[in-house]
Amino acid sequence: MKKTILRLGTTINKSKLQKIVGGNLNTCIQCYDSCVANSKDRIALGICFDECQANYC
């Protein structure tokens, strides 16, 4: 557990991210990036992430 917490700030590589989210990795990442760029607040960001997960990931 402690090792997991210590690695909290590290970036996830693409293969590990694909295992987590599944689906088409490039489309999924583009959707999440679009959410971050276009969401005006945390609620809109969460809704956008949910839509990405449901439709692209």
Side-chain angles (χ1 to χ4, degrees), residues 1 8-9 12 18 27 30 36-37 40 44 47-50 52 57:
M1 180 73 175
L8 190 61
I12 298 175
Q18 190 165 16
T27 305
Q30 288 173 354
V36 171
K40 60 183 180 255
I47 292 169
C48 189
F49 280 177
D50 288 343
C52 288
C57 300

Side-chain angles (χ1 to χ4, degrees), residues 18-38:
Q18 190 165 16
K19 287 179 186 176
I20 294 169
V21 299
N24 184 341
L25 183 62
N26 289 330
T27 305
C28 184
I29 291 173
Q30 288 173 354
C31 185
Y32 282 124
D33 287 345
S34 175
C35 289
V36 171
N38 297 316

